Amino acid sequence: MDPYKFRPSSAFDTAYTTTNAGGPVWNDDQALTVGSRGPILLEDYHLIEKIAHFARERIPERVVHARGASAKGFFECTHDVTNLTCADFLRAPGVQTPVIVRFSTVIHERGSPETIRDPRGFAVKFYTREGNWDLLGNNFPVFFIRDGIKFPDVIHAFKPNPKSHIQEYWRVFDFLSHHPESLHTFFFLFDDVGVPTDYRHMEGFGVNTYTFINKEGKVHYVKFHWKPTCGVSCLLEEEATVVGGKNHSHATQDLYDSIAAGNYPEWKLYVQVMDPDQEDRYDFDPLDDTKTWPEDILPLQPVGRLVLNRNIDNFFAENEQLAFGPGLVVPGIYYSDDKMLQCRVFAYADTQRYRLGPNYLMLPVNAPKCAFHNNQFDGLMNFMQRNEEVDYFPSRHDPLRHAERFPIPSRVVTGKREKIVIPKQNDFKQPGERYRSWAPDRQERFVRRWAESLGHPKVSHELRSIWITYLTQCDVSLGQKVANRLNVKPSM
């Protein structure tokens, strides 16, 4: 008897993508949204299935951001921003809020060196009087993709080859050759800032577009920026080799030792603010995570300062079990229709339920510091004994009531159900402007990194031509320099 006779068919039996149930997927590039710009619809079954499966691919290590270090401290509001938001922890200058922060590398496993060229995570959990707010970001202001449905794919491409378990950039170039919007993030990753000296000398960015709502209900789009008071510093290749050869945990140790010595790391928080009614005046979509907002047009506005003055007491309890999720917001701060953010609101909470269990928010490091009450307390790893008889709402035996109403964005959403790319893509302008802003020696190092990566023997001639064409569309001289090193002509 053939042992494989009744084996389920594999994905390779079709020439097109399907769901796990075998249903054809006619668009695996854009999430289902209301209109071309969102918001995303929960009825996009393939998106939910894809993200949920992706979140469960590793046990128990985080799928991304596995290698990290945490510290505790406080956030202090230093400027009056009540015209922008009714968030309680920003109610007045001088108000302090306890925080815990986790820095991380994105792609590699927990034991990997901290000198790898890789984006760094910058996640802050604010324990406010109105519940926890999690602001998750990276040390780059942009990301490789603009639609959350492609997140599993981009991470798969960056992860090691599933056959050899070796990270190979031909896979990255192959996948992202279909996504020229990724160029902007490459202009950070392959720049000098791709390897920070340590976490203290690293910027942070919210990446996603959020909204501020004031007490009158006025809504503004916002981007968050963390600026280290000790300045930005990075390691060039030779320096990274030396540092990594001596200590593969150099950034973790630097953070721990600095705090222990009383040299407390500090960052200033700034926001860029945009009126949603004025967004049509720009040549980019403000909800596109592959774009930055020009600071000469939308200047940075100071909000507060972040100080890390306490090391964590237990690495497992306060780093490995520390769980963040963009879905955690507080009154006065809300989501936008940013397609990446909309997807992350589901994805992060879902992966934490898988990684730590449905009661992960009961863990001390994740639990709010304010009073809280709901009926979600049974299930795996419930360690809070509760003795009440009413576990539903509403009840005439329990005085629990709704909270006071607070404003959320009330924009009217109209549009067809559709899977479609945003109208204003403009993928080449901002990367080119960034390249031309650098000094010649910095440009030269950038060119060398591109040439070395594209020069890998597994990168096909076709892929080299495509990427050189993209680089040429960003800046003609850049494309020509990389082409000359590889002896390839742009295909323009």
Side-chain angles (χ1 to χ4, degrees), residues 91-106:
R91 63 188 177 274
V95 173
Q96 291 190 357
T97 301
V99 300
I100 187 167
V101 179
R102 188 175 189 269
F103 305 101
S104 56
T105 55
V106 174

Side-chain angles (χ1 to χ4, degrees), residues 92-126:
V95 173
Q96 291 190 357
T97 301
V99 300
I100 187 167
V101 179
R102 188 175 189 269
F103 305 101
S104 56
T105 55
V106 174
I107 295 299
H108 300 276
E109 58 272 9
R110 282 186 297 191
S112 58
E114 292 180 311
T115 50
I116 291 177
R117 184 170 297 277
D118 191 25
R120 265 60 172 177
F122 193 125
V124 184
K125 186 182 291 290
F126 298 76

Side-chain angles (χ1 to χ4, degrees), residues 282-331:
Y282 305 106
D283 63 1
F284 61 92
D285 190 325
L287 307 184
D288 181 356
D289 287 351
T290 71
K291 301 295 183 290
T292 55
W293 296 1
E295 293 181 16
D296 58 337
I297 302 173
L298 300 163
L300 298 180
Q301 301 183 33
V303 176
R305 68 187 186 114
L306 168 70
V307 179
L308 299 181
N309 57 7
R310 292 174 55 205
N311 278 311
I312 56 176
D313 300 305
N314 180 278
F315 184 81
F316 182 80
E318 296 180 296
N319 185 78
E320 294 303 289
Q321 291 193 137
L322 178 57
F324 293 92
L328 299 184
V329 293
V330 294

Side-chain angles (χ1 to χ4, degrees), residues 332-352:
I333 302 175
Y334 203 71
Y335 325 114
S336 73
D337 292 343
D338 176 336
K339 293 185 184 183
M340 283 294 294
L341 176 58
Q342 292 256 318
C343 184
R344 293 176 81 208
V345 167
F346 164 78
Y348 276 68
D350 186 57
T351 194
Q352 305 300 3

Side-chain angles (χ1 to χ4, degrees), residues 106 119-120 137-146 181-189 193 203-209 223-225 272 284-294 338 340 344 426-427 430-431 434:
V106 174
R120 265 60 172 177
N138 288 335
N139 66 322
F140 304 155
V142 288
F143 196 59
F144 294 97
I145 53 172
R146 58 169 63 100
E181 68 267 26
S182 65
L183 276 164
H184 202 182
T185 307
F186 270 120
F187 278 58
F188 287 87
L189 181 64
V193 298
E203 290 182 293
F205 302 90
V207 183
N208 298 125
T209 299
K223 289 275 196 181
F224 296 101
H225 300 249
Q272 287 178 287
F284 61 92
D285 190 325
L287 307 184
D288 181 356
D289 287 351
T290 71
K291 301 295 183 290
T292 55
W293 296 1
D338 176 336
M340 283 294 294
R344 293 176 81 208
N426 205 356
D427 295 326
Q430 291 191 359
R434 177 171 171 80

Side-chain angles (χ1 to χ4, degrees), residues 220-263:
H220 288 92
Y221 290 151
V222 290
K223 289 275 196 181
F224 296 101
H225 300 249
W226 296 106
K227 302 292 183 183
T229 57
C230 59
V232 176
S233 178
C234 54
L235 296 174
L236 300 185
E237 281 79 354
E238 298 79 7
E239 297 170 312
T241 299
V242 172
V243 171
K246 293 180 179 178
N247 182 1
H248 82 296
S249 300
H250 80 283
T252 296
Q253 183 168 354
D254 175 83
L255 179 67
Y256 189 93
D257 290 349
S258 297
I259 294 173
N263 181 22

Side-chain angles (χ1 to χ4, degrees), residues 131-155:
N132 293 352
W133 176 43
D134 287 359
L135 176 57
L136 289 81
N138 288 335
N139 66 322
F140 304 155
V142 288
F143 196 59
F144 294 97
I145 53 172
R146 58 169 63 100
D147 196 310
I149 200 171
K150 303 308 296 179
F151 186 71
D153 299 294
V154 70
I155 298 301

